[in-house]
Amino acid sequence: MRSGGARLRRWVARARLSSLRTTFTVSFAAVAAVVTVLVGFLSYDAAARLVRVDQQTVFEGVVQDLLDEVRHSGLTAADFATADADGGPRDELIRPSGTVVQVLGPDASVVDRGHPPLPVGADDRRTAAARPAGQLVEHRDVDVGDGMYRVATVSLGEGRGAVQIAQEFSDTEDLLRELQQRTVLLVAAVVIAAGLFGWWLARRITSRLVRLAGAAEDVARTGRLGIQVPVAGYDEVARLGRSFDRMLGRLAQSEEDQRRLVQDAGHELRTPLTSLRTNISMLRRIDELPPAVRGELVADLAQESRELTDLVNELVDLAAGQSDREPLRRVALADIAEDVAVAARRRTGRAVTVRVSGDTAVDGRPGALQRALSNLVDNAAKFDRGGGEPIDIVVTGAGTPVGASAGAGSGVGSGAAVRVEVLDRGPGIAEEDLDRVFDRFYRAPDARSLPGSGLGLSIVREVAAAHGGAPFARRREGGGSAIGFTVSGGDGGDGGSGG
């Protein structure tokens, strides 16, 4: 059933992506269709209007020329019936637009038949017998043979007859109809091409979404965060893929960190718990033990319970730091150092000094920074048991030249970061241990007999990383250690104190 449910979910996801592909294709084709139809309609309408108006204007010009000529020249039907080699009135009518000319006599008989012959109606007969010259009768959409014509009849006056002129417009309309058909075919071709291109483009885009969805489904189904996410290109889909890949990487790293923390914590808790069980089993025979042994047993129990408590508290701090929601605010590391020094003097009875140079204001989480600095001071107090010299807290502000503070020479340039250093005169750190002192639960061989969990300095590393900085450690000239961390002078980042 689970397998069937997974297949159903994959099918639904693909159906949604297919729907997106269909929507994209239809939308692309619809936009192309609207634009093409609009452009085609406007183009055809403008062309048809221009052709018709031009043809009508030419015909009206020919009619007007004929009216002017017959009104002022006193021409007869015979003048229009015969062609003149030098160009007579008949030729002047035919030349401009291929006009058909037909001449009517006084009795409306056809003196010179046109090609094709034009019909002669009652109005035309009355016009041929009319007394005034230039009387006009106009007919539209006259069916002549296989075509449609515009026909105008102009009287010659004094009953001398009339002249019929005609212009064919059916050829123009046929041409416009052919243009219309071609426009429709072009629009259809453009719409089909736009649909195919939209489908290809949608398939190209959604194919990466399909692969991305498949990767997400594989993660949800298997729980494995190490699945490779396909990423190609630089557009929004590629950015989504890269963001998803980075998210999986962060989740995988977080899962690995949690697993290591649980394993390391289980390993470290096993030793004190075993010792506690051994001592508790001896409590059953406490009445049989000598008083000195009883005292040692009780002291061991108290010491082991304190160490176990410290270990659990630091584990809680480390785990809680990964989800710390303490808000960022502008704080001065010099003030935090003063507070830590006061608390350390009261807790350890040691002399703790604070030296500050430059501007130490940063954007950070005060609680996390104070916890990290307290761990450094406690670490120094634990290893510097002589107490001959004070423990120094050196805070170097951003932009302070290297060498301007007592912490110079740490190997960490100040740059735009604030540097915090704790100096002691203890036994120091061996060279081979300098790179490992910030690892979780790591304890140098010389420190394994001392109390502690091995988590204090790892918390320092987590706090520094969450504030855009890094931890560092070095041996001091003359003995002792210098251990500290840097904090970015700007935004402390998004991570918690232990992120």
Side-chain angles (χ1 to χ4, degrees):
M1 292 298 292
R2 290 183 181 178
S3 177
R7 285 197 295 270
L8 178 60
R9 286 193 297 272
R10 287 197 297 273
W11 182 85
V12 171
R14 291 193 182 96
R16 288 175 179 172
L17 289 171
S18 298
S19 176
L20 176 62
R21 183 182 301 172
T22 303
T23 302
F24 193 97
T25 303
V26 172
S27 301
F28 199 90
V31 171
V34 170
V35 173
T36 307
V37 168
L38 184 61
V39 172
F41 172 77
L42 294 177
S43 300
Y44 171 78
D45 183 69
R49 188 184 302 273
L50 183 63
V51 170
R52 287 171 178 149
V53 169
D54 182 69
Q55 191 178 43
Q56 179 68 23
T57 301
V58 171
F59 183 71
E60 289 176 353
V62 172
V63 173
Q64 186 62 46
D65 291 342
L66 176 60
L67 288 172
D68 293 340
E69 191 168 9
V70 300
R71 285 172 181 169
H72 299 94
S73 301
L75 298 174
T76 64
D79 295 328
F80 288 96
T82 59
D84 192 340
D86 296 331
R90 180 187 182 93
D91 293 335
E92 293 177 358
L93 294 177
I94 295 175
R95 286 172 185 170
S97 59
T99 307
V100 177
V101 178
Q102 181 169 281
V103 183
L104 302 179
D107 57 352
S109 61
V110 178
V111 176
D112 187 4
R113 192 174 301 277
H115 302 284
L118 301 178
V120 180
D123 293 338
D124 301 321
R125 293 187 181 92
R126 285 192 294 270
T127 302
R131 301 297 298 177
Q135 184 174 328
L136 174 65
V137 174
E138 189 170 356
H139 306 281
R140 294 182 180 274
D141 303 339
V142 177
D143 188 4
V144 179
D146 295 332
M148 299 296 294
Y149 286 76
R150 295 183 183 89
V151 180
T153 304
V154 178
S155 66
L156 297 176
E158 302 298 333
R160 293 193 297 268
V163 176
Q164 289 182 302
I165 56 177
Q167 180 189 52
E168 185 179 11
F169 65 87
S170 57
D171 288 345
T172 303
E173 294 300 323
D174 291 341
L175 178 63
L176 291 177
R177 277 194 294 272
E178 184 178 355
L179 176 62
Q180 186 180 45
Q181 292 173 356
R182 291 187 178 184
T183 301
V184 171
L185 292 176
L186 178 63
V187 169
V190 170
V191 171
I192 293 173
L196 293 175
F197 180 74
W199 176 83
W200 174 81
L201 187 61
R203 185 170 182 268
R204 180 180 176 86
I205 294 175
T206 56
S207 61
R208 291 182 290 166
L209 290 177
V210 169
R211 292 194 294 270
L212 187 59
E217 291 165 1
D218 290 340
V219 172
R221 184 178 65 256
T222 63
R224 294 186 294 108
L225 299 175
I227 292 177
Q228 184 67 31
V229 178
V231 178
Y234 299 94
D235 56 7
E236 288 77 2
V237 178
R239 288 175 53 196
L240 176 63
R242 279 190 287 271
S243 298
F244 187 68
D245 191 43
R246 287 194 296 269
M247 181 189 70
L248 288 182
R250 292 288 297 273
L251 289 174
Q253 183 61 43
S254 177
E255 186 180 63
E256 178 63 19
D257 291 343
Q258 291 177 0
R259 185 185 64 80
R260 282 179 37 235
L261 178 61
V262 171
Q263 290 178 345
D264 295 342
H267 175 74
E268 293 297 323
L269 286 170
R270 197 171 291 118
T271 299
L273 288 175
T274 301
S275 179
L276 278 174
R277 283 199 301 270
T278 301
N279 289 332
I280 290 172
S281 65
M282 293 182 64
L283 288 176
R284 298 176 181 176
R285 299 185 295 112
I286 192 170
D287 294 336
E288 303 174 6
L289 301 176
V293 177
R294 292 180 189 176
E296 291 180 1
L297 179 60
V298 172
D300 286 344
L301 286 171
Q303 178 65 25
E304 289 161 357
S305 64
R306 282 194 298 271
E307 290 184 5
L308 185 60
T309 300
D310 292 340
L311 176 59
V312 170
N313 288 337
E314 289 185 333
L315 281 172
V316 170
D317 287 341
L318 190 61
Q322 296 181 6
S323 59
D324 193 0
R325 291 297 179 264
E326 183 182 7
L328 285 170
R329 62 187 180 89
R330 197 70 176 172
V331 296
L333 282 176
D335 296 339
I336 293 178
E338 291 289 353
D339 294 339
V340 170
V342 171
R345 294 186 197 110
R346 183 173 60 251
R347 185 171 60 252
T348 65
R350 294 289 302 275
V352 180
T353 64
V354 178
R355 285 181 282 174
V356 179
S357 61
D359 180 12
T360 64
V362 297
D363 292 331
R365 296 178 172 86
L369 293 171
Q370 185 168 1
R371 180 163 66 244
L373 189 51
S374 296
N375 287 352
L376 291 178
V377 175
D378 291 343
N379 186 75
K382 179 173 66 175
F383 287 98
D384 185 6
R385 295 187 171 186
E389 293 188 24
I391 297 172
D392 294 329
I393 302 177
V394 180
V395 185
T396 306
T400 303
V402 175
S405 69
S410 66
V412 179
S414 57
V418 179
R419 188 173 68 241
V420 181
E421 231 176 352
V422 175
L423 311 176
D424 65 65
R425 287 299 181 182
I429 303 173
E431 290 291 342
E432 61 270 17
D433 294 327
L434 286 175
D435 295 334
R436 301 188 60 190
V437 293
F438 295 101
D439 293 344
R440 290 175 182 172
F441 300 107
Y442 179 76
R443 305 183 72 187
D446 296 339
R448 289 173 185 169
S449 60
L450 299 176
S453 62
L455 288 175
L457 294 184
S458 67
I459 292 175
V460 173
R461 181 187 63 186
E462 302 290 343
V463 171
H467 288 78
F472 58 88
R474 66 181 177 87
R475 295 172 59 86
R476 292 183 68 189
E477 294 182 2
S481 302
I483 306 178
F485 60 93
T486 58
V487 177
S488 173
D491 189 355
D494 297 333
S497 63

mmCIF file with all atom_site columns, all heavy atoms in Angstrom, residues 428-441:
data_model
loop_
_atom_site.group_PDB
_atom_site.id
_atom_site.type_symbol
_atom_site.label_atom_id
_atom_site.label_alt_id
_atom_site.label_comp_id
_atom_site.label_asym_id
_atom_site.label_entity_id
_atom_site.label_seq_id
_atom_site.pdbx_PDB_ins_code
_atom_site.Cartn_x
_atom_site.Cartn_y
_atom_site.Cartn_z
_atom_site.occupancy
_atom_site.B_iso_or_equiv
_atom_site.pdbx_formal_charge
_atom_site.auth_seq_id
_atom_site.auth_comp_id
_atom_site.auth_asym_id
_atom_site.auth_atom_id
_atom_site.pdbx_PDB_model_num
ATOM 1   N N   . GLY A 1 428 ? 50.529 25.689 29.145 1.00 0.00 ? 428 GLY A N   1
ATOM 2   C CA  . GLY A 1 428 ? 50.505 25.882 27.699 1.00 0.00 ? 428 GLY A CA  1
ATOM 3   C C   . GLY A 1 428 ? 49.925 24.683 26.971 1.00 0.00 ? 428 GLY A C   1
ATOM 4   O O   . GLY A 1 428 ? 49.592 23.657 27.574 1.00 0.00 ? 428 GLY A O   1
ATOM 5   N N   . ILE A 1 429 ? 49.809 24.835 25.669 1.00 0.00 ? 429 ILE A N   1
ATOM 6   C CA  . ILE A 1 429 ? 49.238 23.789 24.824 1.00 0.00 ? 429 ILE A CA  1
ATOM 7   C C   . ILE A 1 429 ? 50.339 23.259 23.911 1.00 0.00 ? 429 ILE A C   1
ATOM 8   O O   . ILE A 1 429 ? 51.085 24.037 23.304 1.00 0.00 ? 429 ILE A O   1
ATOM 9   C CB  . ILE A 1 429 ? 48.081 24.348 23.968 1.00 0.00 ? 429 ILE A CB  1
ATOM 10  C CG1 . ILE A 1 429 ? 47.004 24.979 24.861 1.00 0.00 ? 429 ILE A CG1 1
ATOM 11  C CG2 . ILE A 1 429 ? 47.456 23.253 23.115 1.00 0.00 ? 429 ILE A CG2 1
ATOM 12  C CD1 . ILE A 1 429 ? 45.921 25.689 24.087 1.00 0.00 ? 429 ILE A CD1 1
ATOM 13  N N   . ALA A 1 430 ? 50.427 21.947 23.821 1.00 0.00 ? 430 ALA A N   1
ATOM 14  C CA  . ALA A 1 430 ? 51.422 21.343 22.946 1.00 0.00 ? 430 ALA A CA  1
ATOM 15  C C   . ALA A 1 430 ? 51.126 21.706 21.487 1.00 0.00 ? 430 ALA A C   1
ATOM 16  O O   . ALA A 1 430 ? 49.968 21.879 21.096 1.00 0.00 ? 430 ALA A O   1
ATOM 17  C CB  . ALA A 1 430 ? 51.418 19.827 23.118 1.00 0.00 ? 430 ALA A CB  1
ATOM 18  N N   . GLU A 1 431 ? 52.191 21.817 20.694 1.00 0.00 ? 431 GLU A N   1
ATOM 19  C CA  . GLU A 1 431 ? 52.027 22.216 19.301 1.00 0.00 ? 431 GLU A CA  1
ATOM 20  C C   . GLU A 1 431 ? 51.088 21.280 18.549 1.00 0.00 ? 431 GLU A C   1
ATOM 21  O O   . GLU A 1 431 ? 50.282 21.716 17.724 1.00 0.00 ? 431 GLU A O   1
ATOM 22  C CB  . GLU A 1 431 ? 53.396 22.236 18.605 1.00 0.00 ? 431 GLU A CB  1
ATOM 23  C CG  . GLU A 1 431 ? 54.316 23.353 19.052 1.00 0.00 ? 431 GLU A CG  1
ATOM 24  C CD  . GLU A 1 431 ? 53.831 24.725 18.596 1.00 0.00 ? 431 GLU A CD  1
ATOM 25  O OE1 . GLU A 1 431 ? 52.996 24.775 17.663 1.00 0.00 ? 431 GLU A OE1 1
ATOM 26  O OE2 . GLU A 1 431 ? 54.258 25.727 19.177 1.00 0.00 ? 431 GLU A OE2 1
ATOM 27  N N   . GLU A 1 432 ? 51.172 19.984 18.833 1.00 0.00 ? 432 GLU A N   1
ATOM 28  C CA  . GLU A 1 432 ? 50.344 19.028 18.102 1.00 0.00 ? 432 GLU A CA  1
ATOM 29  C C   . GLU A 1 432 ? 48.868 19.102 18.507 1.00 0.00 ? 432 GLU A C   1
ATOM 30  O O   . GLU A 1 432 ? 48.009 18.536 17.839 1.00 0.00 ? 432 GLU A O   1
ATOM 31  C CB  . GLU A 1 432 ? 50.866 17.597 18.297 1.00 0.00 ? 432 GLU A CB  1
ATOM 32  C CG  . GLU A 1 432 ? 50.861 17.125 19.741 1.00 0.00 ? 432 GLU A CG  1
ATOM 33  C CD  . GLU A 1 432 ? 52.183 17.448 20.450 1.00 0.00 ? 432 GLU A CD  1
ATOM 34  O OE1 . GLU A 1 432 ? 52.932 18.303 19.931 1.00 0.00 ? 432 GLU A OE1 1
ATOM 35  O OE2 . GLU A 1 432 ? 52.440 16.832 21.501 1.00 0.00 ? 432 GLU A OE2 1
ATOM 36  N N   . ASP A 1 433 ? 48.605 19.784 19.648 1.00 0.00 ? 433 ASP A N   1
ATOM 37  C CA  . ASP A 1 433 ? 47.215 19.879 20.113 1.00 0.00 ? 433 ASP A CA  1
ATOM 38  C C   . ASP A 1 433 ? 46.548 21.202 19.736 1.00 0.00 ? 433 ASP A C   1
ATOM 39  O O   . ASP A 1 433 ? 45.345 21.370 19.964 1.00 0.00 ? 433 ASP A O   1
ATOM 40  C CB  . ASP A 1 433 ? 47.145 19.706 21.637 1.00 0.00 ? 433 ASP A CB  1
ATOM 41  C CG  . ASP A 1 433 ? 47.559 18.310 22.072 1.00 0.00 ? 433 ASP A CG  1
ATOM 42  O OD1 . ASP A 1 433 ? 47.300 17.365 21.302 1.00 0.00 ? 433 ASP A OD1 1
ATOM 43  O OD2 . ASP A 1 433 ? 48.135 18.175 23.173 1.00 0.00 ? 433 ASP A OD2 1
ATOM 44  N N   . LEU A 1 434 ? 47.299 22.154 19.172 1.00 0.00 ? 434 LEU A N   1
ATOM 45  C CA  . LEU A 1 434 ? 46.734 23.479 18.908 1.00 0.00 ? 434 LEU A CA  1
ATOM 46  C C   . LEU A 1 434 ? 45.558 23.425 17.929 1.00 0.00 ? 434 LEU A C   1
ATOM 47  O O   . LEU A 1 434 ? 44.610 24.213 18.045 1.00 0.00 ? 434 LEU A O   1
ATOM 48  C CB  . LEU A 1 434 ? 47.822 24.410 18.353 1.00 0.00 ? 434 LEU A CB  1
ATOM 49  C CG  . LEU A 1 434 ? 48.854 24.915 19.360 1.00 0.00 ? 434 LEU A CG  1
ATOM 50  C CD1 . LEU A 1 434 ? 49.935 25.725 18.650 1.00 0.00 ? 434 LEU A CD1 1
ATOM 51  C CD2 . LEU A 1 434 ? 48.176 25.772 20.438 1.00 0.00 ? 434 LEU A CD2 1
ATOM 52  N N   . ASP A 1 435 ? 45.631 22.517 16.943 1.00 0.00 ? 435 ASP A N   1
ATOM 53  C CA  . ASP A 1 435 ? 44.580 22.447 15.931 1.00 0.00 ? 435 ASP A CA  1
ATOM 54  C C   . ASP A 1 435 ? 43.374 21.628 16.374 1.00 0.00 ? 435 ASP A C   1
ATOM 55  O O   . ASP A 1 435 ? 42.365 21.584 15.663 1.00 0.00 ? 435 ASP A O   1
ATOM 56  C CB  . ASP A 1 435 ? 45.125 21.834 14.630 1.00 0.00 ? 435 ASP A CB  1
ATOM 57  C CG  . ASP A 1 435 ? 46.185 22.724 14.000 1.00 0.00 ? 435 ASP A CG  1
ATOM 58  O OD1 . ASP A 1 435 ? 46.136 23.945 14.239 1.00 0.00 ? 435 ASP A OD1 1
ATOM 59  O OD2 . ASP A 1 435 ? 47.046 22.193 13.274 1.00 0.00 ? 435 ASP A OD2 1
ATOM 60  N N   . ARG A 1 436 ? 43.469 20.999 17.575 1.00 0.00 ? 436 ARG A N   1
ATOM 61  C CA  . ARG A 1 436 ? 42.382 20.109 17.980 1.00 0.00 ? 436 ARG A CA  1
ATOM 62  C C   . ARG A 1 436 ? 41.680 20.533 19.262 1.00 0.00 ? 436 ARG A C   1
ATOM 63  O O   . ARG A 1 436 ? 40.695 19.904 19.659 1.00 0.00 ? 436 ARG A O   1
ATOM 64  C CB  . ARG A 1 436 ? 42.936 18.696 18.173 1.00 0.00 ? 436 ARG A CB  1
ATOM 65  C CG  . ARG A 1 436 ? 43.596 18.108 16.938 1.00 0.00 ? 436 ARG A CG  1
ATOM 66  C CD  . ARG A 1 436 ? 43.934 16.653 17.154 1.00 0.00 ? 436 ARG A CD  1
ATOM 67  N NE  . ARG A 1 436 ? 42.743 15.855 17.441 1.00 0.00 ? 436 ARG A NE  1
ATOM 68  C CZ  . ARG A 1 436 ? 42.762 14.591 17.864 1.00 0.00 ? 436 ARG A CZ  1
ATOM 69  N NH1 . ARG A 1 436 ? 43.919 13.986 18.049 1.00 0.00 ? 436 ARG A NH1 1
ATOM 70  N NH2 . ARG A 1 436 ? 41.653 13.945 18.116 1.00 0.00 ? 436 ARG A NH2 1
ATOM 71  N N   . VAL A 1 437 ? 42.168 21.582 19.897 1.00 0.00 ? 437 VAL A N   1
ATOM 72  C CA  . VAL A 1 437 ? 41.611 21.933 21.202 1.00 0.00 ? 437 VAL A CA  1
ATOM 73  C C   . VAL A 1 437 ? 40.155 22.381 21.116 1.00 0.00 ? 437 VAL A C   1
ATOM 74  O O   . VAL A 1 437 ? 39.436 22.354 22.114 1.00 0.00 ? 437 VAL A O   1
ATOM 75  C CB  . VAL A 1 437 ? 42.446 23.047 21.874 1.00 0.00 ? 437 VAL A CB  1
ATOM 76  C CG1 . VAL A 1 437 ? 43.826 22.529 22.239 1.00 0.00 ? 437 VAL A CG1 1
ATOM 77  C CG2 . VAL A 1 437 ? 42.534 24.270 20.982 1.00 0.00 ? 437 VAL A CG2 1
ATOM 78  N N   . PHE A 1 438 ? 39.697 22.791 19.910 1.00 0.00 ? 438 PHE A N   1
ATOM 79  C CA  . PHE A 1 438 ? 38.311 23.254 19.783 1.00 0.00 ? 438 PHE A CA  1
ATOM 80  C C   . PHE A 1 438 ? 37.371 22.145 19.324 1.00 0.00 ? 438 PHE A C   1
ATOM 81  O O   . PHE A 1 438 ? 36.179 22.399 19.128 1.00 0.00 ? 438 PHE A O   1
ATOM 82  C CB  . PHE A 1 438 ? 38.240 24.421 18.793 1.00 0.00 ? 438 PHE A CB  1
ATOM 83  C CG  . PHE A 1 438 ? 38.971 25.640 19.274 1.00 0.00 ? 438 PHE A CG  1
ATOM 84  C CD1 . PHE A 1 438 ? 40.240 25.947 18.791 1.00 0.00 ? 438 PHE A CD1 1
ATOM 85  C CD2 . PHE A 1 438 ? 38.411 26.475 20.228 1.00 0.00 ? 438 PHE A CD2 1
ATOM 86  C CE1 . PHE A 1 438 ? 40.914 27.068 19.228 1.00 0.00 ? 438 PHE A CE1 1
ATOM 87  C CE2 . PHE A 1 438 ? 39.080 27.608 20.673 1.00 0.00 ? 438 PHE A CE2 1
ATOM 88  C CZ  . PHE A 1 438 ? 40.342 27.901 20.173 1.00 0.00 ? 438 PHE A CZ  1
ATOM 89  N N   . ASP A 1 439 ? 37.878 20.909 19.167 1.00 0.00 ? 439 ASP A N   1
ATOM 90  C CA  . ASP A 1 439 ? 37.014 19.794 18.799 1.00 0.00 ? 439 ASP A CA  1
ATOM 91  C C   . ASP A 1 439 ? 36.188 19.365 20.006 1.00 0.00 ? 439 ASP A C   1
ATOM 92  O O   . ASP A 1 439 ? 36.634 19.459 21.159 1.00 0.00 ? 439 ASP A O   1
ATOM 93  C CB  . ASP A 1 439 ? 37.844 18.607 18.305 1.00 0.00 ? 439 ASP A CB  1
ATOM 94  C CG  . ASP A 1 439 ? 38.539 18.906 16.992 1.00 0.00 ? 439 ASP A CG  1
ATOM 95  O OD1 . ASP A 1 439 ? 38.147 19.879 16.330 1.00 0.00 ? 439 ASP A OD1 1
ATOM 96  O OD2 . ASP A 1 439 ? 39.483 18.163 16.649 1.00 0.00 ? 439 ASP A OD2 1
ATOM 97  N N   . ARG A 1 440 ? 35.006 18.849 19.716 1.00 0.00 ? 440 ARG A N   1
ATOM 98  C CA  . ARG A 1 440 ? 34.137 18.394 20.798 1.00 0.00 ? 440 ARG A CA  1
ATOM 99  C C   . ARG A 1 440 ? 34.759 17.211 21.531 1.00 0.00 ? 440 ARG A C   1
ATOM 100 O O   . ARG A 1 440 ? 35.230 16.257 20.910 1.00 0.00 ? 440 ARG A O   1
ATOM 101 C CB  . ARG A 1 440 ? 32.770 17.989 20.250 1.00 0.00 ? 440 ARG A CB  1
ATOM 102 C CG  . ARG A 1 440 ? 31.929 19.158 19.760 1.00 0.00 ? 440 ARG A CG  1
ATOM 103 C CD  . ARG A 1 440 ? 30.658 18.666 19.117 1.00 0.00 ? 440 ARG A CD  1
ATOM 104 N NE  . ARG A 1 440 ? 29.870 19.770 18.608 1.00 0.00 ? 440 ARG A NE  1
ATOM 105 C CZ  . ARG A 1 440 ? 28.782 19.624 17.858 1.00 0.00 ? 440 ARG A CZ  1
ATOM 106 N NH1 . ARG A 1 440 ? 28.384 18.414 17.525 1.00 0.00 ? 440 ARG A NH1 1
ATOM 107 N NH2 . ARG A 1 440 ? 28.120 20.683 17.447 1.00 0.00 ? 440 ARG A NH2 1
ATOM 108 N N   . PHE A 1 441 ? 34.733 17.291 22.842 1.00 0.00 ? 441 PHE A N   1
ATOM 109 C CA  . PHE A 1 441 ? 35.179 16.230 23.746 1.00 0.00 ? 441 PHE A CA  1
ATOM 110 C C   . PHE A 1 441 ? 36.671 15.932 23.642 1.00 0.00 ? 441 PHE A C   1
ATOM 111 O O   . PHE A 1 441 ? 37.145 14.941 24.226 1.00 0.00 ? 441 PHE A O   1
ATOM 112 C CB  . PHE A 1 441 ? 34.394 14.923 23.508 1.00 0.00 ? 441 PHE A CB  1
ATOM 113 C CG  . PHE A 1 441 ? 32.917 15.069 23.716 1.00 0.00 ? 441 PHE A CG  1
ATOM 114 C CD1 . PHE A 1 441 ? 32.045 15.074 22.642 1.00 0.00 ? 441 PHE A CD1 1
ATOM 115 C CD2 . PHE A 1 441 ? 32.393 15.215 24.985 1.00 0.00 ? 441 PHE A CD2 1
ATOM 116 C CE1 . PHE A 1 441 ? 30.685 15.211 22.822 1.00 0.00 ? 441 PHE A CE1 1
ATOM 117 C CE2 . PHE A 1 441 ? 31.028 15.354 25.170 1.00 0.00 ? 441 PHE A CE2 1
ATOM 118 C CZ  . PHE A 1 441 ? 30.172 15.356 24.097 1.00 0.00 ? 441 PHE A CZ  1
#
